[in-house]
Amino acid sequence: MTSTLSAELWPDVQPEAARRLMLAAVESFARRGFHATTTRDIASGAGMSPAALYVHFPSKAALLFAISKSGHEQTLALVEAVVATQASPKEKIRELVEGFVAWHARRHTVARVVQYELQALPEREYEVVAELRRRIEHLVRTLVADGVAAGEFVVTEPRTAARAVLSLGVDVARWYSERMRKSPAALGREYAELVLRMLGASTS
Amino acid sequence: MTSTLSAELWPDVQPEAARRLMLAAVESFARRGFHATTTRDIASGAGMSPAALYVHFPSKAALLFAISKSGHEQTLALVEAVVATQASPKEKIRELVEGFVAWHARRHTVARVVQYELQALPEREYEVVAELRRRIEHLVRTLVADGVAAGEFVVTEPRTAARAVLSLGVDVARWYSERMRKSPAALGREYAELVLRMLGASTS
């Protein structure tokens, strides 16, 4: 069960023990916060000894970095894939919001750690993640500007609008829970409609 | 300096020592999270002894509750004041978003604790705060529905739209910082325009 979930969350991480530790770390960080979590908590959450943890990660911060970097790489990949298509800016924004919102809903526990524990990263690791964030923001800003240039969007402040688009998606991680009747995909579709209106696109 | 800020944040809290402890608690919770903060950290941040802290607050959780309750009461008061006016739904939403967004930008450190440390509240205290949140959400949902009924808004899913309105404002606390060139008031105005479009209101 747990190993299926961790493989789904981090298909690129090997071996399975490392993924298991990342999952235990996500659970502890989300429940108690980074600073109140010990490597012993994480190891025992993964059914391992602290010594076994250090085989895969040199520190608690290294675990946070692995989780944060992977989360940002996944959302960046999602944005890049949408931007690379031949669709119109309007269709790209729709697909981007659907994917970004659904990711933050489906992965809300991971996403909370990814989005709210940034300050706990050591300086060099923080810079790596900050660069991924800048790339995501740049792609969305450019897409909004492209839509304005193409006459599809009417936006007074493209920078603020791009921030609002991402902000709506990120905040889903704070409030979404499995108890909600709306699926991540359905929420993504409704949010895409709201965002298109926000950008002044005619919606059908 | 600190006492001026704490009086501005919590004009209703007396004596000044209690406000000073709340401010020290906000700073510690925001930096390290609730669970990693000790009452000793908070007392020393306020320049007081742990014993002096207990004169005002029986526990760390009581401090979190005081901060969280006050933050929610302030935003509820803001929403209630707007809703009570004779303005049209469109003008009410504009004023509500301007005020709500500016509050989360200006008070971003307090707001982060208010919005992100909810789970750390003991059950009874959590219920008090959850009730304040339900009232805020209910007022915004009703306002959106009123705008639809008045023909001022065009919204397919009023519940999702109301959530998005609040979500945009709350998430400002995560990303806003004093280093930004945009003032809380200016951000509030730009966000109000975006929200009005999102709700399908004609903007002038």
Side-chain angles (χ1 to χ4, degrees), chain A:
Chain A
M1 187 63 179
T2 295
S3 97
T4 318
L5 175 59
S6 75
E8 205 184 309
L9 291 171
W10 302 291
D12 46 333
V13 176
Q14 289 292 346
E16 191 264 334
R19 294 198 306 260
R20 195 141 44 98
L21 286 162
M22 286 169 74
L23 190 61
V26 161
E27 281 162 2
S28 283
F29 295 160
R31 196 165 50 239
R32 281 184 294 248
F34 176 79
H35 296 286
T37 297
T38 63
T39 48
R40 185 171 289 275
D41 295 332
I42 299 169
S44 91
M48 289 163 66
S49 69
L53 180 150
Y54 291 115
V55 171
H56 303 285
F57 296 97
S59 65
K60 184 173 72 155
L63 266 158
L64 177 63
F65 179 52
I67 294 160
S68 188
K69 183 162 164 281
S70 165
H72 282 89
E73 284 170 345
Q74 287 180 38
T75 45
L76 174 60
L78 186 157
V79 172
E80 282 177 334
V82 170
V83 169
T85 64
Q86 295 300 313
S88 67
K90 185 177 149 181
E91 284 315 309
K92 284 181 182 175
I93 277 284
R94 184 193 298 280
E95 215 186 311
L96 189 154
V97 172
E98 286 185 6
F100 194 78
V101 165
W103 191 89
H104 282 83
R106 195 173 295 121
R107 302 274 176 264
H108 59 88
T109 311
V110 173
R112 266 176 228 166
V113 172
V114 166
Q115 299 290 356
Y116 302 137
E117 298 285 0
L118 277 183
Q119 314 307 330
L121 287 170
E123 200 179 332
R124 257 180 49 196
E125 285 79 357
Y126 178 84
E127 258 317 304
V128 172
V129 171
E131 174 56 23
L132 295 169
R133 292 176 82 82
R134 280 191 291 270
R135 284 164 63 188
I136 294 169
E137 285 161 19
H138 176 74
L139 288 169
V140 175
R141 262 203 315 273
T142 305
L143 181 51
V144 170
D146 288 351
V148 172
E152 291 189 349
F153 302 155
V154 184
V155 172
T156 330
E157 299 277 350
R159 222 188 165 80
T160 304
R163 193 180 273 283
V165 171
L166 288 171
S167 184
L168 269 175
V170 166
D171 197 53
V172 166
R174 177 182 59 84
W175 62 260
Y176 191 83
S177 103
E178 274 78 19
R179 285 167 311 175
M180 291 181 179
R181 270 161 301 177
K182 207 177 297 284
S183 71
L187 182 70
R189 283 191 298 273
E190 291 179 17
Y191 264 46
E193 285 299 317
L194 292 172
V195 163
L196 284 174
R197 281 165 184 264
M198 195 168 83
L199 299 178
S202 58
T203 54
S204 48

Side-chain angles (χ1 to χ4, degrees), chain B residues 34 61 64-66 68 117-126 129:
Chain B
F34 175 79
L64 177 62
F65 179 53
S68 188
E117 298 285 0
L118 277 184
Q119 315 306 332
L121 286 171
E123 199 178 331
R124 256 180 51 195
E125 285 79 356
Y126 177 84
V129 171

Side-chain angles (χ1 to χ4, degrees), chain B residues 6-7 10-20 22 55-57:
Chain B
S6 75
W10 302 291
D12 46 334
V13 176
Q14 289 293 347
E16 192 264 334
R19 294 198 306 262
R20 195 142 42 98
M22 285 168 76
V55 171
H56 302 285
F57 296 97

